[in-house]
mmCIF file of all heavy atoms in Angstrom:
data_model
loop_
_atom_site.group_PDB
_atom_site.id
_atom_site.type_symbol
_atom_site.label_atom_id
_atom_site.label_comp_id
_atom_site.label_asym_id
_atom_site.label_seq_id
_atom_site.Cartn_x
_atom_site.Cartn_y
_atom_site.Cartn_z
ATOM 1 N N VAL A 4 1.846 8.297 1.488
ATOM 2 C CA VAL A 4 2.250 9.614 0.996
ATOM 3 C C VAL A 4 2.681 10.452 2.191
ATOM 4 O O VAL A 4 1.947 10.568 3.167
ATOM 5 C CB VAL A 4 1.086 10.303 0.264
ATOM 6 C CG1 VAL A 4 1.526 11.671 -0.261
ATOM 7 C CG2 VAL A 4 0.582 9.432 -0.879
ATOM 8 N N GLU A 5 3.884 10.998 2.132
ATOM 9 C CA GLU A 5 4.384 11.863 3.207
ATOM 10 C C GLU A 5 4.495 13.277 2.665
ATOM 11 O O GLU A 5 5.091 13.494 1.615
ATOM 12 C CB GLU A 5 5.765 11.365 3.677
ATOM 13 C CG GLU A 5 5.732 9.923 4.187
ATOM 14 C CD GLU A 5 7.141 9.341 4.313
ATOM 15 O OE1 GLU A 5 8.096 10.125 4.477
ATOM 16 O OE2 GLU A 5 7.268 8.111 4.245
ATOM 17 N N THR A 6 3.925 14.200 3.400
ATOM 18 C CA THR A 6 3.924 15.591 2.958
ATOM 19 C C THR A 6 4.749 16.433 3.918
ATOM 20 O O THR A 6 4.576 16.331 5.145
ATOM 21 C CB THR A 6 2.477 16.135 2.918
ATOM 22 O OG1 THR A 6 1.707 15.278 2.067
ATOM 23 C CG2 THR A 6 2.436 17.559 2.369
ATOM 24 N N TYR A 7 5.667 17.243 3.385
ATOM 25 C CA TYR A 7 6.546 18.063 4.224
ATOM 26 C C TYR A 7 6.397 19.520 3.853
ATOM 27 O O TYR A 7 6.179 19.864 2.699
ATOM 28 C CB TYR A 7 8.006 17.610 4.074
ATOM 29 C CG TYR A 7 8.204 16.192 4.560
ATOM 30 C CD1 TYR A 7 8.146 15.131 3.665
ATOM 31 C CD2 TYR A 7 8.387 15.928 5.911
ATOM 32 C CE1 TYR A 7 8.285 13.826 4.098
ATOM 33 C CE2 TYR A 7 8.528 14.614 6.356
ATOM 34 C CZ TYR A 7 8.474 13.569 5.441
ATOM 35 O OH TYR A 7 8.602 12.286 5.891
ATOM 36 N N ALA A 8 6.571 20.351 4.885
ATOM 37 C CA ALA A 8 6.374 21.784 4.684
ATOM 38 C C ALA A 8 7.544 22.424 3.962
ATOM 39 O O ALA A 8 7.393 23.450 3.310
ATOM 40 C CB ALA A 8 6.159 22.480 6.037
ATOM 41 N N SER A 9 8.738 21.809 4.064
ATOM 42 C CA SER A 9 9.873 22.434 3.388
ATOM 43 C C SER A 9 10.551 21.431 2.468
ATOM 44 O O SER A 9 10.494 20.209 2.675
ATOM 45 C CB SER A 9 10.885 22.953 4.405
ATOM 46 O OG SER A 9 11.698 21.896 4.851
ATOM 47 N N ALA A 10 11.214 21.971 1.469
ATOM 48 C CA ALA A 10 11.920 21.131 0.512
ATOM 49 C C ALA A 10 13.037 20.354 1.199
ATOM 50 O O ALA A 10 13.292 19.190 0.870
ATOM 51 C CB ALA A 10 12.486 21.993 -0.610
ATOM 52 N N ASP A 11 13.689 20.996 2.166
ATOM 53 C CA ASP A 11 14.783 20.319 2.853
ATOM 54 C C ASP A 11 14.292 19.100 3.627
ATOM 55 O O ASP A 11 14.917 18.042 3.608
ATOM 56 C CB ASP A 11 15.494 21.291 3.810
ATOM 57 C CG ASP A 11 16.361 22.287 3.050
ATOM 58 O OD1 ASP A 11 16.738 21.950 1.895
ATOM 59 O OD2 ASP A 11 16.632 23.369 3.584
ATOM 60 N N GLN A 12 13.161 19.293 4.313
ATOM 61 C CA GLN A 12 12.593 18.149 5.043
ATOM 62 C C GLN A 12 12.236 17.019 4.083
ATOM 63 O O GLN A 12 12.495 15.847 4.346
ATOM 64 C CB GLN A 12 11.323 18.573 5.796
ATOM 65 C CG GLN A 12 11.596 19.473 6.992
ATOM 66 C CD GLN A 12 10.309 20.067 7.552
ATOM 67 O OE1 GLN A 12 9.302 20.182 6.842
ATOM 68 N NE2 GLN A 12 10.348 20.453 8.815
ATOM 69 N N ALA A 13 11.671 17.406 2.960
ATOM 70 C CA ALA A 13 11.304 16.385 1.976
ATOM 71 C C ALA A 13 12.546 15.658 1.480
ATOM 72 O O ALA A 13 12.543 14.430 1.333
ATOM 73 C CB ALA A 13 10.559 17.039 0.814
ATOM 74 N N ALA A 14 13.601 16.424 1.244
ATOM 75 C CA ALA A 14 14.838 15.820 0.745
ATOM 76 C C ALA A 14 15.396 14.828 1.760
ATOM 77 O O ALA A 14 15.857 13.737 1.396
ATOM 78 C CB ALA A 14 15.867 16.908 0.433
ATOM 79 N N THR A 15 15.298 15.201 3.032
ATOM 80 C CA THR A 15 15.785 14.308 4.088
ATOM 81 C C THR A 15 14.974 13.012 4.113
ATOM 82 O O THR A 15 15.508 11.922 4.347
ATOM 83 C CB THR A 15 15.675 15.011 5.462
ATOM 84 O OG1 THR A 15 16.310 16.286 5.352
ATOM 85 C CG2 THR A 15 16.318 14.184 6.556
ATOM 86 N N ALA A 16 13.691 13.150 3.843
ATOM 87 C CA ALA A 16 12.817 11.971 3.890
ATOM 88 C C ALA A 16 12.982 11.071 2.666
ATOM 89 O O ALA A 16 12.512 9.939 2.648
ATOM 90 C CB ALA A 16 11.360 12.422 4.000
ATOM 91 N N LEU A 17 13.643 11.595 1.642
ATOM 92 C CA LEU A 17 13.762 10.843 0.391
ATOM 93 C C LEU A 17 14.875 9.809 0.457
ATOM 94 O O LEU A 17 15.809 9.839 -0.319
ATOM 95 C CB LEU A 17 14.068 11.807 -0.759
ATOM 96 C CG LEU A 17 12.920 12.231 -1.671
ATOM 97 C CD1 LEU A 17 13.483 13.043 -2.822
ATOM 98 C CD2 LEU A 17 12.134 11.054 -2.203
ATOM 99 N N VAL A 22 10.006 8.115 -3.792
ATOM 100 C CA VAL A 22 10.042 9.029 -4.930
ATOM 101 C C VAL A 22 9.388 10.340 -4.535
ATOM 102 O O VAL A 22 8.522 10.394 -3.657
ATOM 103 C CB VAL A 22 9.311 8.466 -6.168
ATOM 104 C CG1 VAL A 22 10.022 7.232 -6.693
ATOM 105 C CG2 VAL A 22 7.850 8.188 -5.873
ATOM 106 N N PHE A 23 9.819 11.404 -5.235
ATOM 107 C CA PHE A 23 9.265 12.724 -4.960
ATOM 108 C C PHE A 23 8.150 13.014 -5.970
ATOM 109 O O PHE A 23 8.321 12.835 -7.170
ATOM 110 C CB PHE A 23 10.358 13.787 -5.070
ATOM 111 C CG PHE A 23 9.883 15.157 -4.674
ATOM 112 C CD1 PHE A 23 9.762 15.516 -3.333
ATOM 113 C CD2 PHE A 23 9.527 16.095 -5.644
ATOM 114 C CE1 PHE A 23 9.313 16.774 -2.966
ATOM 115 C CE2 PHE A 23 9.075 17.359 -5.275
ATOM 116 C CZ PHE A 23 8.969 17.698 -3.924
ATOM 117 N N LEU A 24 7.026 13.455 -5.435
ATOM 118 C CA LEU A 24 5.869 13.752 -6.286
ATOM 119 C C LEU A 24 5.791 15.250 -6.541
ATOM 120 O O LEU A 24 5.696 16.039 -5.608
ATOM 121 C CB LEU A 24 4.583 13.296 -5.589
ATOM 122 C CG LEU A 24 3.278 13.598 -6.328
ATOM 123 C CD1 LEU A 24 2.937 12.475 -7.301
ATOM 124 C CD2 LEU A 24 2.116 13.793 -5.364
ATOM 125 N N GLY A 25 5.854 15.641 -7.791
ATOM 126 C CA GLY A 25 5.654 17.041 -8.140
ATOM 127 C C GLY A 25 4.200 17.258 -8.506
ATOM 128 O O GLY A 25 3.303 17.171 -7.680
ATOM 129 N N GLY A 26 3.961 17.487 -9.786
ATOM 130 C CA GLY A 26 2.577 17.710 -10.229
ATOM 131 C C GLY A 26 1.777 16.437 -10.364
ATOM 132 O O GLY A 26 0.557 16.477 -10.502
ATOM 133 N N ILE A 44 5.761 7.739 -1.268
ATOM 134 C CA ILE A 44 5.756 8.953 -2.075
ATOM 135 C C ILE A 44 5.972 10.136 -1.139
ATOM 136 O O ILE A 44 5.285 10.258 -0.114
ATOM 137 C CB ILE A 44 4.420 9.115 -2.828
ATOM 138 C CG1 ILE A 44 4.282 8.037 -3.921
ATOM 139 C CG2 ILE A 44 4.298 10.504 -3.443
ATOM 140 C CD1 ILE A 44 2.967 8.072 -4.656
ATOM 141 N N VAL A 45 6.921 10.978 -1.486
ATOM 142 C CA VAL A 45 7.231 12.153 -0.674
ATOM 143 C C VAL A 45 6.839 13.386 -1.464
ATOM 144 O O VAL A 45 7.090 13.468 -2.667
ATOM 145 C CB VAL A 45 8.737 12.183 -0.336
ATOM 146 C CG1 VAL A 45 9.119 13.503 0.318
ATOM 147 C CG2 VAL A 45 9.094 10.997 0.562
ATOM 148 N N ARG A 46 6.207 14.325 -0.787
ATOM 149 C CA ARG A 46 5.894 15.582 -1.462
ATOM 150 C C ARG A 46 6.147 16.755 -0.524
ATOM 151 O O ARG A 46 6.324 16.570 0.686
ATOM 152 C CB ARG A 46 4.467 15.604 -2.001
ATOM 153 C CG ARG A 46 3.389 15.371 -0.957
ATOM 154 C CD ARG A 46 2.029 15.228 -1.603
ATOM 155 N NE ARG A 46 1.495 16.497 -2.064
ATOM 156 C CZ ARG A 46 0.659 17.271 -1.354
ATOM 157 N NH1 ARG A 46 0.260 16.890 -0.146
ATOM 158 N NH2 ARG A 46 0.217 18.410 -1.836
ATOM 159 N N SER A 47 6.177 17.933 -1.081
ATOM 160 C CA SER A 47 6.435 19.122 -0.278
ATOM 161 C C SER A 47 5.454 20.213 -0.665
ATOM 162 O O SER A 47 5.086 20.355 -1.834
ATOM 163 C CB SER A 47 7.873 19.614 -0.513
ATOM 164 O OG SER A 47 8.031 20.879 0.081
ATOM 165 N N THR A 48 5.039 20.978 0.338
ATOM 166 C CA THR A 48 4.153 22.108 0.077
ATOM 167 C C THR A 48 4.909 23.424 0.225
ATOM 168 O O THR A 48 4.304 24.481 0.380
ATOM 169 C CB THR A 48 2.961 22.084 1.063
ATOM 170 O OG1 THR A 48 3.489 21.968 2.394
ATOM 171 C CG2 THR A 48 2.037 20.916 0.785
ATOM 172 N N ASP A 49 6.224 23.343 0.150
ATOM 173 C CA ASP A 49 7.083 24.526 0.334
ATOM 174 C C ASP A 49 6.720 25.617 -0.676
ATOM 175 O O ASP A 49 6.877 25.435 -1.879
ATOM 176 C CB ASP A 49 8.545 24.095 0.139
ATOM 177 C CG ASP A 49 9.522 25.151 0.637
ATOM 178 O OD1 ASP A 49 9.115 26.329 0.709
ATOM 179 O OD2 ASP A 49 10.675 24.786 0.958
ATOM 180 N N PRO A 50 6.223 26.777 -0.207
ATOM 181 C CA PRO A 50 5.813 27.834 -1.149
ATOM 182 C C PRO A 50 6.994 28.388 -1.933
ATOM 183 O O PRO A 50 6.804 28.887 -3.052
ATOM 184 C CB PRO A 50 5.192 28.908 -0.244
ATOM 185 C CG PRO A 50 5.665 28.608 1.137
ATOM 186 C CD PRO A 50 5.999 27.154 1.203
ATOM 187 N N ALA A 51 8.196 28.276 -1.379
ATOM 188 C CA ALA A 51 9.369 28.785 -2.092
ATOM 189 C C ALA A 51 9.549 28.065 -3.418
ATOM 190 O O ALA A 51 10.099 28.620 -4.378
ATOM 191 C CB ALA A 51 10.610 28.617 -1.230
ATOM 192 N N MET A 52 9.083 26.832 -3.465
ATOM 193 C CA MET A 52 9.272 26.046 -4.691
ATOM 194 C C MET A 52 8.367 26.495 -5.824
ATOM 195 O O MET A 52 8.454 25.992 -6.941
ATOM 196 C CB MET A 52 9.064 24.558 -4.409
ATOM 197 C CG MET A 52 10.277 23.929 -3.714
ATOM 198 S SD MET A 52 10.043 22.181 -3.364
ATOM 199 C CE MET A 52 10.010 21.479 -4.994
ATOM 200 N N LYS A 53 7.454 27.419 -5.523
ATOM 201 C CA LYS A 53 6.585 27.924 -6.588
ATOM 202 C C LYS A 53 7.000 29.323 -7.036
ATOM 203 O O LYS A 53 6.382 29.893 -7.947
ATOM 204 C CB LYS A 53 5.120 27.955 -6.109
ATOM 205 C CG LYS A 53 4.466 26.585 -6.139
ATOM 206 C CD LYS A 53 2.953 26.656 -6.017
ATOM 207 C CE LYS A 53 2.268 26.945 -7.320
ATOM 208 N NZ LYS A 53 1.513 25.881 -7.935
ATOM 209 N N ALA A 66 10.737 24.882 -8.839
ATOM 210 C CA ALA A 66 10.482 23.590 -9.478
ATOM 211 C C ALA A 66 9.006 23.221 -9.441
ATOM 212 O O ALA A 66 8.522 22.481 -10.290
ATOM 213 C CB ALA A 66 11.306 22.502 -8.798
ATOM 214 N N ALA A 67 8.268 23.742 -8.472
ATOM 215 C CA ALA A 67 6.850 23.397 -8.357
ATOM 216 C C ALA A 67 5.963 24.331 -9.157
ATOM 217 O O ALA A 67 4.739 24.175 -9.169
ATOM 218 C CB ALA A 67 6.420 23.405 -6.892
ATOM 219 N N ALA A 68 6.563 25.324 -9.821
ATOM 220 C CA ALA A 68 5.755 26.181 -10.705
ATOM 221 C C ALA A 68 5.202 25.319 -11.825
ATOM 222 O O ALA A 68 5.918 24.492 -12.408
ATOM 223 C CB ALA A 68 6.624 27.304 -11.269
ATOM 224 N N THR A 99 4.763 20.318 -13.619
ATOM 225 C CA THR A 99 5.655 21.327 -13.064
ATOM 226 C C THR A 99 6.955 21.424 -13.861
ATOM 227 O O THR A 99 7.331 20.506 -14.595
ATOM 228 C CB THR A 99 6.018 20.989 -11.611
ATOM 229 O OG1 THR A 99 6.694 19.720 -11.593
ATOM 230 C CG2 THR A 99 4.779 20.927 -10.733
ATOM 231 N N ALA A 127 17.899 20.516 -3.376
ATOM 232 C CA ALA A 127 17.860 20.754 -1.932
ATOM 233 C C ALA A 127 19.028 20.047 -1.254
ATOM 234 O O ALA A 127 19.300 18.879 -1.521
ATOM 235 C CB ALA A 127 16.532 20.230 -1.359
ATOM 236 N N GLY A 146 16.531 12.990 -5.027
ATOM 237 C CA GLY A 146 16.620 14.236 -4.292
ATOM 238 C C GLY A 146 15.473 15.134 -4.706
ATOM 239 O O GLY A 146 14.559 14.696 -5.406
ATOM 240 N N VAL A 147 15.524 16.353 -4.253
ATOM 241 C CA VAL A 147 14.456 17.302 -4.562
ATOM 242 C C VAL A 147 15.053 18.473 -5.325
ATOM 243 O O VAL A 147 15.926 19.189 -4.812
ATOM 244 C CB VAL A 147 13.767 17.805 -3.277
ATOM 245 C CG1 VAL A 147 12.681 18.821 -3.628
ATOM 246 C CG2 VAL A 147 13.187 16.643 -2.489
ATOM 247 N N VAL A 148 14.616 18.650 -6.545
ATOM 248 C CA VAL A 148 14.994 19.832 -7.317
ATOM 249 C C VAL A 148 14.132 20.982 -6.810
ATOM 250 O O VAL A 148 12.897 20.863 -6.780
ATOM 251 C CB VAL A 148 14.778 19.604 -8.818
ATOM 252 C CG1 VAL A 148 14.994 20.906 -9.592
ATOM 253 C CG2 VAL A 148 15.699 18.518 -9.326
ATOM 254 N N THR A 149 14.761 22.046 -6.399
ATOM 255 C CA THR A 149 13.972 23.150 -5.849
ATOM 256 C C THR A 149 13.703 24.241 -6.864
ATOM 257 O O THR A 149 12.647 24.859 -6.864
ATOM 258 C CB THR A 149 14.685 23.779 -4.645
ATOM 259 O OG1 THR A 149 16.006 24.175 -5.045
ATOM 260 C CG2 THR A 149 14.749 22.784 -3.493
ATOM 261 N N LEU C 65 -3.401 12.912 -7.178
ATOM 262 C CA LEU C 65 -3.366 12.153 -5.936
ATOM 263 C C LEU C 65 -4.500 12.658 -5.036
ATOM 264 O O LEU C 65 -4.592 13.854 -4.745
ATOM 265 C CB LEU C 65 -2.009 12.371 -5.255
ATOM 266 C CG LEU C 65 -1.757 11.644 -3.949
ATOM 267 C CD1 LEU C 65 -1.684 10.137 -4.187
ATOM 268 C CD2 LEU C 65 -0.465 12.152 -3.310
ATOM 269 N N ILE C 68 -4.064 15.187 -2.081
ATOM 270 C CA ILE C 68 -3.737 16.608 -2.206
ATOM 271 C C ILE C 68 -4.971 17.474 -2.379
ATOM 272 O O ILE C 68 -4.893 18.694 -2.472
ATOM 273 C CB ILE C 68 -2.734 16.875 -3.350
ATOM 274 C CG1 ILE C 68 -3.403 16.720 -4.722
ATOM 275 C CG2 ILE C 68 -1.519 15.986 -3.233
ATOM 276 C CD1 ILE C 68 -2.550 17.308 -5.826
#
Side-chain angles (χ1 to χ4, degrees):
Chain A
V4 181
E5 301 166 25
T6 304
Y7 297 94
S9 81
D11 286 337
Q12 289 170 336
T15 308
L17 260 187
V22 295
F23 185 79
L24 177 87
I44 291 177
V45 171
R46 57 188 285 265
S47 170
T48 52
D49 194 337
M52 283 180 67
K53 282 195 82 109
T99 61
V147 179
V148 172
T149 55
Chain C
L65 181 67
I68 73 166

